[in-house]
Amino acid sequence: MLIITISTFGFSQKQKSQVLFQAANVSENIAYKTDESGKKIQLDIYRPKNTDDKKIPVVVYVHGGAWVEGDKIITADNYVENTILKLLEKNYTVISINYRLVSENLHFPAPIQDTKDAIRWIRKNADQYHLDENNIGMWGVSAGAHLSLLSAYTQDNEFLGDPELSEYSAKVNYVVDNFGPTDMNTLLHTRAPKPMLFIVGLISQKIIDIRTNLAHGLTGYDIKTNRQKVIEVCKTISPLNYTQNTVPTLMLHGNKDKVAPLRHSKRLNRMLKKAGTEHSLIVVKKGNHGFKNTDKTYQDELNDEMIKFILSHEKTTVVHH
């Protein structure tokens, strides 16, 4: 049985944000698709007040949780809530999405199909919800940053999900990536020699078990018996390998991140430079995974950098009378 509990990947269980409900018109639990088993996959819309009749830009927020846990609920008193408040002030709608989590029976490409389908759904329903389909960006944390990058960098015909949404584009204008893993083989140490794994196993069997379980959850293959298959699938779901279709990217990554080390963003930074795509990497001083211990004032500056980046990529929509 697959049981993965990775507290370091997710935000600890906290209260649901209340201030967002005061600051926004919130529509919760809107189903954007139904999976093969008939389960509805949902999103929440946070819309600035007094903007009801005009189409406004959208930021799609993708939660973290190691692909195995977490959901679309925005919790109170953290930098995510704070940044959403700032976006609402700038007249942006924020849409927080759920996606299918991997398990013993569910693997990739399900989570990435869902992420792309959420964007397609926005285009399909842009008129009804007054969303500007020419101004959609993505912002993800941890596993959600990985999904945001993968979604933004892949072509429209890759990772197709719901047939009813497939005629709409999943393209976005930019990505804000908070400490996202970019190379899944590096993250899972799939190419690590056996002696090294043996030594790690002596220190902590739990780490080995998490790696084995997560590799199976993500790919559907057992890393002990099917290492090559795991490596192949990991290649296809690593943003680093999609160099042809990149979009402007802002990366924020802590230099003390032990879960998805800084080198993930450094390598992405190099890839984007080579691709000639606008990019920026902010190394968060003493930042761990989740920025949990980051000083409030410093964090606020980082939040402002994200807002500045998002605003700088707003396309002006020409209205013909």
Side-chain angles (χ1 to χ4, degrees), residues 257-316:
D257 195 325
K258 297 214 169 33
V259 178
L262 177 60
R263 64 173 176 271
H264 282 273
S265 286
K266 284 189 163 167
R267 284 178 67 197
L268 183 62
N269 206 38
R270 288 199 295 275
M271 183 271 263
L272 292 165
K273 189 176 180 180
K274 219 168 168 178
T277 299
E278 183 202 331
H279 61 285
S280 179
L281 169 59
I282 297 173
V283 177
V284 178
K285 295 183 286 290
K286 296 188 194 155
N288 59 14
H289 196 78
F291 303 155
K292 285 186 267 301
N293 306 329
T294 302
D295 168 77
K296 285 271 191 286
T297 315
Y298 181 32
Q299 183 66 61
D300 208 45
E301 286 167 23
L302 297 169
N303 299 350
D304 286 339
E305 285 299 322
M306 292 195 277
I307 301 293
K308 203 164 84 184
F309 174 82
I310 288 167
L311 292 176
S312 75
H313 288 93
E314 187 174 329
K315 290 192 162 89
T316 48

Side-chain angles (χ1 to χ4, degrees), residues 213-274:
N213 287 343
L214 193 52
H216 178 259
L218 293 168
T219 68
Y221 295 103
D222 184 340
I223 197 163
K224 293 184 185 121
T225 55
N226 246 327
R227 191 154 80 150
Q228 206 43 50
K229 283 270 202 293
V230 171
I231 289 171
E232 287 308 312
V233 175
C234 282
K235 274 186 199 163
T236 67
I237 58 172
S238 293
L240 215 50
N241 294 329
Y242 293 91
T243 58
Q244 301 305 307
N245 198 39
T246 51
V247 297
T249 304
L250 172 65
M251 297 154 271
L252 279 78
H253 213 129
N255 59 3
K256 295 276 185 275
D257 195 325
K258 297 214 169 33
V259 178
L262 177 60
R263 64 173 176 271
H264 282 273
S265 286
K266 284 189 163 167
R267 284 178 67 197
L268 183 62
N269 206 38
R270 288 199 295 275
M271 183 271 263
L272 292 165
K273 189 176 180 180
K274 219 168 168 178

Side-chain angles (χ1 to χ4, degrees), residues 151-164:
S151 177
Y153 293 0
T154 49
Q155 303 283 2
D156 268 340
N157 60 359
E158 294 175 293
F159 300 123
L160 282 169
D162 189 324
E164 286 177 29

Side-chain angles (χ1 to χ4, degrees), residues 1 32 57 64 95 98 122 128 169-170 175 185 190 233 235 245 252 274 277 300 314:
M1 180 169 155
Y32 67 90
I95 296 183
N98 274 346
I122 290 169
Q128 185 186 342
S169 170
V175 176
N185 278 305
T190 54
V233 175
K235 274 186 199 163
N245 198 39
L252 279 78
K274 219 168 168 178
T277 299
D300 208 45
E314 187 174 329

Side-chain angles (χ1 to χ4, degrees), residues 22-288:
Q22 290 152 16
N25 291 331
V26 187
S27 312
E28 286 182 292
N29 304 323
I30 298 169
Y32 67 90
K33 68 183 280 191
T34 307
D35 72 9
E36 291 82 4
S37 72
K39 184 172 165 274
K40 289 182 173 8
I41 304 164
Q42 299 176 323
L43 51 78
D44 295 339
I45 302 178
Y46 297 87
R47 187 181 178 84
K49 293 188 168 171
N50 311 319
T51 57
D52 285 344
D53 52 347
K54 62 175 194 282
K55 285 189 167 188
I56 59 173
V58 187
V59 176
V60 177
Y61 173 73
V62 192
H63 72 80
W67 306 274
V68 298
E69 58 184 22
D71 60 37
K72 62 184 170 52
I73 293 169
I74 308 296
T75 55
D77 305 320
N78 58 64
Y79 86 92
V80 171
E81 177 191 59
N82 182 277
T83 306
I84 294 175
L85 284 171
K86 287 178 190 269
L87 284 166
L88 289 166
E89 279 168 26
K90 300 288 183 195
N91 271 348
Y92 272 68
T93 289
V94 177
I95 296 183
S96 181
I97 68 166
N98 274 346
Y99 49 86
R100 281 172 290 173
L101 302 172
V102 302
S103 65
E104 199 167 5
N105 308 312
L106 189 89
H107 317 291
F108 269 79
I112 184 62
Q113 287 170 335
D114 295 349
T115 308
K116 293 189 80 155
D117 276 346
I119 307 291
R120 299 180 200 282
W121 180 91
I122 290 169
R123 287 220 159 80
K124 184 182 180 183
N125 297 281
D127 291 347
Q128 185 186 342
Y129 291 97
H130 303 293
L131 307 168
D132 182 351
E133 63 270 41
N134 298 311
N135 273 301
I136 305 172
M138 299 189 87
W139 164 36
V141 303
S142 191
H146 160 264
L147 289 169
S148 299
L149 293 165
L150 191 59
S151 177
Y153 293 0
T154 49
Q155 303 283 2
D156 268 340
N157 60 359
E158 294 175 293
F159 300 123
L160 282 169
D162 189 324
E164 286 177 29
L165 295 170
S166 61
E167 65 188 90
Y168 298 90
S169 170
K171 289 197 187 311
V172 294
N173 300 4
Y174 58 84
V175 176
V176 177
D177 154 23
N178 293 174
F179 42 90
T182 61
D183 181 339
M184 302 300 279
N185 278 305
T186 307
L187 185 79
L188 294 171
H189 304 292
T190 54
R191 297 188 179 91
K194 288 216 163 63
M196 181 200 140
L197 291 175
F198 176 71
I199 293 160
V200 173
L202 291 178
I203 302 162
S204 170
Q205 184 55 41
K206 193 175 158 203
I207 292 175
I208 297 287
D209 291 345
I210 285 172
R211 167 184 175 264
T212 305
N213 287 343
L214 193 52
H216 178 259
L218 293 168
T219 68
Y221 295 103
D222 184 340
I223 197 163
K224 293 184 185 121
T225 55
N226 246 327
R227 191 154 80 150
Q228 206 43 50
K229 283 270 202 293
V230 171
I231 289 171
E232 287 308 312
V233 175
C234 282
K235 274 186 199 163
T236 67
I237 58 172
S238 293
L240 215 50
N241 294 329
Y242 293 91
T243 58
Q244 301 305 307
N245 198 39
T246 51
V247 297
T249 304
L250 172 65
M251 297 154 271
L252 279 78
H253 213 129
N255 59 3
K256 295 276 185 275
D257 195 325
K258 297 214 169 33
V259 178
L262 177 60
R263 64 173 176 271
H264 282 273
S265 286
K266 284 189 163 167
R267 284 178 67 197
L268 183 62
N269 206 38
R270 288 199 295 275
M271 183 271 263
L272 292 165
K273 189 176 180 180
K274 219 168 168 178
T277 299
E278 183 202 331
H279 61 285
S280 179
L281 169 59
I282 297 173
V283 177
V284 178
K285 295 183 286 290
K286 296 188 194 155
N288 59 14

